Amino acid sequence: MSRLPGSSRRRAAARRSPPALRKTPLALLAAAALLQGAPLWAQTGADAISDALDAEGLRAAPTRPDASVAPRTRPPAALPGAVPDAPVLRASPLLRDEIPRDDRRSLPVYVTGDRTVGQTGLTTGVEGDAELRRGDTVIRADKLEYDQPTDRATATGNVRINQAGNQFEGPAADLRVESFEGTFEQPRYKFLQNGAYGEARRVDFIDDENMVIHDATYTTCRRRPGDGWVPDWILTASSITIDQGADTGIAEDAKLRFKSLPAVPLPELSFPLTEKRKSGFLPPVIATGNVNGVETIVPYYWDIAPNRDATLYPSVKTKRGVDLAGEFRYLEDTYRGQVRGNWVPYDTLRERARWGLSAQQTGLFDTGIPGIGALGLAYNINRVSDDDYWRDFSRISPTLMTRTLPTDVNLNWGRNDFSVALRTLKWQTLQDTRTTTAIVPPYDRMPQLTVGYAKLDQAGFDYSVTTDFTRFEANRALTNQPNAKRAFALGQISRPFIAPGGFFTPKLQFHATAYQFDEALPNGMTSASRSVPTASLDTGLVFERDANYFGRSFRQTLEPRAFYVRTPYRDQNYLPVYDTSYSDFNFASIWTENAYIGNDRISDNNLLTLGTTTRLLDADTGAEAARFGIAQRLRFEDQRVTLPGGTVATDRLSDVLLGASVNWTRQWALDSTFQYNPKTDQSIRSVVGARYNPGDYRVVSAAYRRQRVTSTITTPSQLIDVGWQWPINDLWGDRGLDLGAGRGQGPGRIYSVGRMNYNIDDSKLVNMVAGFEYEGDCWIGRIVVQRQQTSTTTANKSVLFQIEFLGFSRVGSNPLVVLRQNIPRYQYLRDQVTSPSRFSNYD
């Protein structure tokens, strides 16, 4: 064994390991230390393994005298038949994918081969299966020379370099080992992070993270047998600059060829080596539709900081002109937010400038004022230039697609039992210029001040007081009622009695409201006030038993519940409505005191709600396998408080609510709710949904919704909603490969994806997203058709096309966002969750 002394304690093993052990480096070194005889007795078994760990960078090398100062000697010969002591392994941390630079400098160098010659401390030459190993760098060749003073290795003949999982093969290489600086002639290379590979005339290694590849090819297509094989896509370039620290590559004077299509010339192209963020131009986007015509977008991504980034979307639309759009995102320790917007200097169709802005933020900020501390700040700002914006710019931001756009700013503070909130809310209502029917705008709240105080479990009692002052403003010509200032107060006290088998909660509430109008009501009043008390009693029991259904063990519950509420009648029907609407009739609202949402109406009630729920809980995990419920109200008096245009509720029995939720297996799920009217023997509202998800990339979900006309619903509807992602190859028995989530199912697979909303009453498709995905060996193709209803007679239609070169980039408009937003449980065919380890390409 040739020892290489020096500050880094470099060593070389003189004997060649058995070929069968080369696949297991630690086993190789242990076997070499224990079995190969006298030439390796210069180290004990424990020392051999320890130095192997040092060479791999798997632990920090301990400080000890150089071998030339304190040489090791061969241990005394063992007695015949004696079993030598087993090596004592030293403690080591977990394997490290990345070796810090400071640790790298102290790592030893190992050189092995068939024949080793050299001078101590100067040069070492190895011939025949030569190998040099240091940390995460391994050099193999037929012949290798290593100069210790300059740390330079020269390798010739079948050279193979593995540097942290990146592999290079060729006839000759010359580089400095520690700095990884040098050249490799005529290499074939393969990168760890994305599996990309290619050939080149020469590689210049700048350091362990940077290199320049000259006259290079680059692809991620897996090599297939046969002389006539060519990759589906390949990039050729006069030079490719690789920066592994920034995870980017830059190709110059490049051409990108896909299949048999003509090569696309690219003077300069920046592409990612991983899924990590990086600044630079993104692949151009080309889309076509009936609203903007042909649209070409050249996005630019700016990685400002680890917690901030921006994306610019300048585009040219054949029907409208230039559109300058962008997005800025930020994430701080105590707050986060985003800003989206676009500006069209001159829209040739509308003959004016157009713009849209959407900004959201939530979080805290420190005032620095003693006794005040931090304040919560949240805002949601949405403004556009004109009433037709929502028709023409559907992809800028989902929040700008509605006809009523809020600008909502909230400032809140809380300390112990007190809370204060200040809110300003202003709406922009986009009227339809094509019709004469105007949208009644919601009321602005300029401002709204809320103060609250709450105490829990005070001698068993819970009590709270909430006060609210709001100034409501809107266009009186559209609302047909005056604006107003409203002060509201709610005080309540309850005494919960809770036990493992049930609960009993009496509660008292008192509502007080005062109005000041900016013009007189029809009865001549310019102010009004109202006070309403409410008493309620909520009680329930919980029974449990062990049960067995269809061979499965469960814990079954039976949970009957009764809720009584009494609110005396106070005439409120003359009061304007500013923030109040009917509460939806469901399993949550049926157990509440007020039939309305908002503070302009407090319903008079003398009613009892009865219901029961039963659940099946898995005996081992506690997961809910099924839930069934039923509830109904019994009204003892008419409910005379109504909204404008409403009717008095005279029915003594309400509709019956029926609900069922079944998650019997991981593959199947069923949810349903029915609102049944026993008088008409009809289902007033029906919602039935089911999902089948047997595995990755196989999901079908469907829902049926029906709503009949009621006292609060004037327009009936009947809709079917279907969404899916499913491989078409299943139709002819090709089930693909089970590679796990984010890895697809193998090349040659075609997936159908989509979601459709169909109106049965109108026999018309409302909204639709449908298309196909093709999974090749090294690329994925997608084509998606999108239809979005904008009125009863018009719709926006667009076609999105994308080719994703795996491990390289995506080209085309991005249907992935559309698919993920619309299809329940949609999965990406490629979604890198973890970075590959260098030990997956261990040499």
Side-chain angles (χ1 to χ4, degrees):
M1 176 170 180
S2 176
R3 179 176 299 152
L4 307 180
S7 60
S8 59
R9 193 169 34 83
R10 303 181 177 93
R11 303 184 184 277
R15 291 182 61 89
R16 180 169 173 256
S17 304
L21 295 178
R22 282 199 177 275
K23 295 182 179 179
T24 312
L26 295 181
L28 158 67
L29 294 165
L34 296 175
L35 302 177
Q36 287 193 357
L40 287 182
W41 277 113
Q43 292 179 312
T44 64
D47 289 330
I49 295 178
S50 172
D51 286 345
L53 293 173
D54 290 344
E56 288 295 329
L58 304 184
R59 71 172 181 85
T63 303
R64 66 184 185 188
D66 190 273
S68 61
V69 178
R72 297 192 181 111
T73 59
R74 179 175 178 176
L79 295 175
V83 178
D85 293 337
V88 180
L89 298 180
R90 299 178 183 177
S92 172
L94 296 176
L95 304 183
R96 294 183 293 180
D97 265 314
E98 297 184 6
I99 303 175
R101 291 184 181 274
D102 293 339
D103 292 352
R104 190 185 300 273
R105 297 188 183 96
S106 62
L107 295 177
V109 174
Y110 279 79
V111 179
T112 64
D114 293 339
R115 295 176 299 279
T116 304
V117 297
Q119 296 176 293
T120 302
L122 295 177
T123 61
T124 299
V126 184
E127 293 186 1
D129 200 14
E131 176 184 315
L132 183 148
R133 181 182 296 270
R134 183 180 188 180
D136 55 6
T137 301
V138 178
I139 304 175
R140 299 179 185 272
D142 294 339
K143 182 179 180 181
L144 189 148
E145 293 184 0
Y146 178 64
D147 184 73
Q148 299 174 55
T150 60
D151 192 33
R152 178 181 177 184
T154 303
T156 56
N158 296 314
V159 181
R160 178 177 177 180
I161 296 178
N162 186 318
Q163 192 267 328
N166 297 323
Q167 298 174 335
F168 305 86
E169 297 179 359
D174 186 348
L175 76 157
R176 301 180 185 274
V177 179
E178 180 180 332
S179 62
F180 206 75
E181 177 187 355
T183 61
F184 202 130
E185 299 296 333
Q186 302 177 17
R188 299 179 301 277
Y189 60 88
K190 182 177 181 180
F191 295 120
L192 171 68
Q193 291 291 333
N194 58 4
Y197 67 93
E199 300 177 352
R201 177 174 56 84
R202 187 181 78 248
V203 174
D204 293 335
F205 298 110
I206 310 302
D207 54 36
D208 59 342
E209 292 185 344
N210 296 273
M211 68 188 76
V212 179
I213 310 174
H214 300 277
D215 297 332
T217 63
Y218 187 94
T219 185
T220 59
C221 300
R222 187 180 308 172
R223 185 69 169 85
R224 300 295 183 184
D227 296 336
W229 177 86
V230 294
D232 285 347
W233 71 266
I234 189 169
L235 179 75
T236 59
S238 61
S239 69
I240 299 178
T241 302
I242 300 296
D243 185 346
Q244 298 181 86
D247 293 315
T248 61
I250 298 177
E252 296 182 357
D253 191 18
K255 291 183 179 180
L256 179 63
R257 182 185 61 78
F258 176 64
K259 293 288 190 177
S260 59
L261 298 177
V264 179
L266 302 167
E268 182 174 304
L269 173 68
S270 176
F271 57 91
L273 301 180
T274 67
E275 295 295 325
K276 296 180 181 179
R277 307 182 314 178
K278 75 176 189 69
S279 296
F281 284 99
L282 302 178
V285 174
I286 299 177
T288 181
N290 65 323
V291 175
N292 298 316
V294 179
E295 182 177 1
T296 303
I297 308 174
V298 183
Y300 181 84
Y301 178 77
W302 183 15
D303 185 14
I304 303 172
N307 61 331
R308 296 188 187 95
D309 65 5
T311 307
L312 305 179
Y313 299 97
S315 66
V316 176
K317 300 176 172 65
T318 56
K319 290 186 177 182
R320 300 192 180 277
V322 176
D323 185 356
L324 304 177
E327 176 188 49
F328 170 64
R329 302 184 301 175
Y330 54 94
L331 174 62
E332 303 294 340
D333 292 337
T334 59
Y335 61 92
R336 66 178 62 190
Q338 65 178 13
V339 180
R340 294 180 180 179
N342 77 312
W343 177 55
V344 179
Y346 184 77
D347 185 338
T348 55
L349 280 181
R350 302 291 182 181
E351 296 183 343
R352 62 177 181 265
R354 314 285 298 281
W355 57 268
L357 175 66
S358 176
Q360 294 80 32
Q361 177 179 296
T362 58
L364 302 171
F365 70 93
D366 191 357
T367 63
I369 302 175
I372 299 296
L375 295 177
L377 175 63
Y379 58 74
N380 179 22
I381 301 172
N382 300 276
R383 306 294 289 178
V384 297
S385 58
D386 55 82
D387 289 339
D388 294 315
Y389 182 93
W390 64 282
R391 299 179 185 275
D392 302 336
F393 301 96
S394 59
R395 294 203 305 270
I396 298 299
S397 174
T399 59
L400 299 181
M401 281 300 297
T402 60
R403 304 283 296 279
T404 52
L405 304 177
T407 295
D408 193 359
V409 180
N410 289 268
L411 189 65
N412 57 77
W413 173 86
R415 179 66 56 85
N416 298 326
D417 304 318
F418 289 94
S419 63
V420 179
L422 178 63
R423 180 187 188 189
T424 61
L425 172 61
K426 190 169 183 63
W427 295 90
Q428 181 182 12
T429 303
L430 307 184
Q431 303 291 351
D432 192 344
T433 57
R434 303 179 184 182
T435 65
T436 58
T437 303
I439 299 175
V440 178
Y443 275 89
D444 299 336
R445 306 185 187 193
M446 301 294 289
Q448 179 180 9
L449 177 64
T450 304
V451 179
Y453 176 81
K455 275 286 189 181
L456 301 179
D457 197 15
Q458 299 296 302
F461 288 87
D462 298 341
Y463 59 88
S464 66
V465 177
T466 302
T467 61
D468 179 281
F469 172 81
T470 306
R471 179 181 171 186
F472 294 100
E473 293 180 347
N475 186 345
R476 290 195 298 265
L478 296 176
T479 63
N480 295 318
Q481 64 181 26
N483 297 330
K485 300 174 184 177
R486 188 190 68 193
F488 172 80
L490 169 62
Q492 58 184 2
I493 183 171
S494 63
R495 177 55 171 95
F497 297 91
I498 301 175
F503 63 92
F504 181 87
T505 306
K507 181 194 291 186
L508 294 175
Q509 294 179 323
F510 186 79
H511 311 261
T513 313
Y515 293 86
Q516 185 69 43
F517 307 109
D518 66 352
E519 66 178 21
L521 299 179
N523 60 8
M525 299 176 61
T526 57
S527 64
S529 62
R530 174 200 65 190
S531 59
V532 183
T534 296
S536 65
L537 178 62
D538 193 4
T539 182
L541 298 173
V542 179
F543 300 97
E544 294 183 350
R545 69 165 187 169
D546 294 329
N548 190 287
Y549 297 101
F550 305 102
R552 289 181 60 182
S553 297
F554 296 99
R555 176 64 58 87
Q556 183 177 9
T557 70
L558 182 64
E559 306 168 38
R561 184 177 179 183
F563 178 73
Y564 175 78
V565 58
R566 180 70 171 99
T567 303
Y569 172 73
R570 298 289 188 271
D571 186 13
Q572 308 161 50
N573 295 339
Y574 68 94
L575 295 174
V577 173
Y578 299 101
D579 65 351
T580 302
S581 61
Y582 287 105
S583 177
D584 186 39
F585 190 64
N586 54 45
F587 276 100
S589 64
I590 200 171
W591 305 103
T592 58
E593 290 86 357
N594 194 5
Y596 302 103
I597 297 176
N599 296 319
D600 294 313
R601 294 289 188 272
I602 306 299
S603 60
D604 56 315
N605 285 318
N606 184 9
L607 57 82
L608 174 66
T609 302
L610 298 175
T612 188
T613 300
T614 182
R615 296 183 296 158
L616 294 180
L617 308 177
D618 188 275
D620 297 325
T621 65
E624 185 177 278
R627 172 195 292 260
F628 304 93
I630 183 172
Q632 187 179 27
R633 282 175 172 170
L634 288 76
R635 191 179 306 278
F636 302 110
E637 296 178 1
D638 295 346
Q639 178 189 312
R640 293 183 287 168
V641 175
T642 65
L643 289 175
T647 59
V648 174
T650 59
D651 292 337
R652 293 297 178 256
L653 291 177
S654 73
D655 294 342
V656 179
L657 277 180
L658 299 167
S661 175
V662 180
N663 295 275
W664 200 260
T665 66
R666 189 189 68 85
Q667 293 83 7
W668 283 97
L670 172 68
D671 288 285
S672 62
T673 302
F674 297 93
Q675 181 181 340
Y676 172 74
N677 189 323
K679 291 179 62 177
T680 61
D681 195 24
Q682 286 184 328
S683 174
I684 301 301
R685 179 170 52 180
S686 304
V687 179
V688 181
R691 183 185 67 247
Y692 178 55
N693 187 193
D696 292 326
Y697 310 108
R698 292 181 175 90
V699 60
V700 176
S701 60
Y704 170 79
R705 299 176 178 87
R706 180 171 187 172
Q707 175 68 61
R708 296 182 186 270
V709 175
T710 67
S711 59
T712 59
I713 304 295
T714 59
T715 303
S717 64
Q718 196 172 186
L719 300 172
I720 293 178
D721 187 350
V722 180
W724 71 92
Q725 180 185 27
W726 202 275
I728 296 179
N729 303 59
D730 287 2
L731 297 176
W732 50 86
D734 179 8
R735 302 289 296 179
L737 303 175
D738 186 9
L739 303 177
R743 297 179 180 273
Q745 294 183 332
R749 307 281 289 168
I750 302 175
Y751 303 82
S752 175
V753 294
R755 184 173 182 178
M756 296 183 181
N757 303 108
Y758 183 77
N759 189 317
I760 298 177
D761 295 333
D762 296 338
S763 300
K764 182 173 62 177
L765 195 65
V766 182
N767 294 322
M768 180 193 71
V769 173
F772 296 94
E773 294 182 291
Y774 175 79
E775 180 181 7
D777 177 45
C778 55
W779 62 280
I780 295 175
R782 298 181 179 92
I783 183 169
V784 176
V785 178
Q786 184 177 15
R787 182 185 190 276
Q788 188 171 28
Q789 194 77 25
T790 57
S791 71
T792 56
T793 58
T794 61
N796 291 347
K797 306 179 186 72
S798 60
V799 178
L800 308 177
F801 172 74
Q802 180 186 73
I803 296 178
E804 179 180 354
F805 297 134
L806 299 179
F808 185 62
S809 67
R810 296 186 177 112
V811 176
S813 54
N814 189 2
L816 288 179
V817 176
V818 175
L819 297 176
R820 176 61 68 90
Q821 289 177 346
N822 287 275
I823 301 176
R825 295 203 173 190
Y826 171 82
Q827 290 180 292
Y828 292 154
L829 297 181
R830 289 295 185 277
D831 193 8
Q832 186 175 10
V833 179
T834 58
S835 298
S837 167
R838 69 180 176 95
F839 296 102
S840 61
N841 277 352
Y842 190 82
D843 205 343

